[in-house]
Amino acid sequence: MVYGFRGLGRFSAVSSSQEFDAHRLRLDVISIFPEYLDPLRHALLGKAIEDGILEVGVHDLRKWATGGHKAVDDTPYGGGPGMVMKPEVWGPALDDIAAGHVVGDELESASPHLKSARHDEIEGVEKRAYEVEAAGDKELPLLLVPTPAGKPFTQTDAQGWSNERHIVFACGRYEGIDQRVIDDAAKRYRVREVSIGDYVLIGGEVAVLVIAEAVVRLIPGVLGNRRSHEEDSFSDGLLEGPSYTKPRSWRGLDVPEVLFSGNHAKVDRWRRDQALLRTQAVRPELIDETQLDAADRKVLGLD
Ligand code: ADE
């Protein structure tokens, strides 16, 4: 399945980053459960596909399996429970994707309703990309391997990866993928093993949905409002504080008075105070890594 750039859908067209002025990202996902990745076609990601900013290819790993049973896994050397995914299947799959030999049908994606503007799209917004550089040789595609044994995925990663041209996800199941696949892939990819949290999922597919959404919304022109990214939780190392909309009073609960003051400096200070207090209550370890001025320290009761 390839969901992609209208009129430019061939994969070869995106393997050279020089061919486009606008930022475009190609995502390839390899999985034994490709239908798990259907949500990539919807909502914000579907809109990015419609707008020609994003192209997504979802590939069934079994297409690279050989033999009568099309086995993709085998018992682990050294014994133990579970199964390990076979290198002879993953190796050719990753070779083909890196070389741009897409196996699968071309599909135009996203429902017609996605062509209408979203409420959070703003005309004339800044199309400036995040300056966070992904390390290494940018000519090689980035291979992300979701695993609970990986490095924790963060907002900083999402910002860096939103500048990439080609990201490939390798979804492991069972006890994981034979480690030599990861080691060998480093010849053709910049490889990162990533975890989305300290818990164990059945496979990497849900992690791909999480990472893809976090990355794609940061591509200039996707969410349309860079300021909203800058106020995201984690962007300044703090959790975002509460938000309110109309009506002013609801079920006996009033919107804080300061938000009607019209005084932007006062509103900004109040928002920062709320972010500081929420972070201190919920994620106190983040406070230790935040630059605090005298006003911040006072509101946190640290002086
Ligand atoms: N696969 C299984 N558990 C995972 C996790 N926590 N993060 C990323 N991939 C996973």
Side-chain angles (χ1 to χ4, degrees), residues 65-83:
T66 53
H69 290 102
K70 295 252 171 197
V72 295
D73 59 333
D74 208 337
T75 52
Y77 275 129
M83 302 289 267

Side-chain angles (χ1 to χ4, degrees), residues 91-279:
L94 290 173
D95 292 348
D96 282 349
I97 300 285
H101 302 148
V102 173
V103 180
D105 310 317
E106 187 94 7
L107 260 199
E108 288 236 340
S109 174
S111 327
H113 76 270
L114 295 172
K115 289 188 197 295
S116 55
R118 287 168 51 98
H119 68 277
D120 49 3
E121 281 180 324
I122 294 171
E123 284 299 313
V125 291
E126 212 176 347
K127 300 261 181 186
R128 191 156 49 91
Y130 285 88
E131 275 113 39
V132 186
E133 251 312 294
D137 180 359
K138 279 273 206 157
E139 293 299 304
L140 296 179
L142 181 66
L143 176 66
L144 299 181
V145 186
T147 160
K151 196 164 164 261
F153 172 63
T154 66
Q155 186 68 12
T156 305
D157 294 323
Q159 287 173 345
W161 298 343
S162 71
N163 289 318
E164 294 285 339
R165 294 284 167 171
H166 188 194
I167 300 177
V168 179
F169 290 96
C171 296
R173 288 246 145 189
Y174 318 116
E175 298 306 304
I177 303 172
D178 186 302
Q179 189 61 40
R180 290 168 295 179
V181 172
I182 318 297
D183 299 344
D184 176 70
K187 295 172 194 153
R188 288 171 297 291
Y189 294 91
R190 287 167 294 135
V191 185
R192 307 281 181 273
E193 292 178 272
V194 278
S195 166
I196 61 160
D198 290 343
Y199 38 78
V200 180
L201 304 167
I202 302 168
E205 287 78 4
V206 171
V208 169
L209 296 177
V210 169
I211 295 169
E213 183 162 317
V215 169
V216 171
R217 69 182 282 278
L218 297 178
I219 297 174
V222 171
L223 200 57
N225 185 355
R226 187 181 155 105
R227 185 164 171 229
S228 76
H229 306 160
E230 284 166 354
E231 292 177 3
D232 285 342
S233 287
F234 308 112
S235 291
D236 60 0
L238 297 173
L239 306 183
E240 209 178 335
S243 310
Y244 300 91
T245 185
K246 296 175 202 68
R248 189 167 175 153
S249 186
W250 180 76
R251 295 190 175 176
L253 300 169
D254 294 337
V255 173
E257 216 37 63
V258 62
L259 297 176
F260 305 102
S261 68
N263 180 333
H264 293 303
K266 242 171 122 177
V267 169
D268 286 350
R269 182 67 246 175
W270 180 83
R271 288 200 169 127
R272 171 118 184 134
D273 291 350
Q274 295 300 310
L276 286 162
L277 291 168
R278 182 177 279 190
T279 307

Side-chain angles (χ1 to χ4, degrees), residues 55-69:
E55 186 178 55
V56 179
V58 179
H59 313 279
D60 187 345
L61 180 69
R62 277 189 211 281
K63 287 192 176 140
W64 285 274
T66 53
H69 290 102

Side-chain angles (χ1 to χ4, degrees), residues 286-297:
L286 295 179
I287 294 284
D288 301 337
E289 290 154 29
T290 306
Q291 290 258 14
L292 301 174
D293 63 17
D296 296 338
R297 297 186 64 78

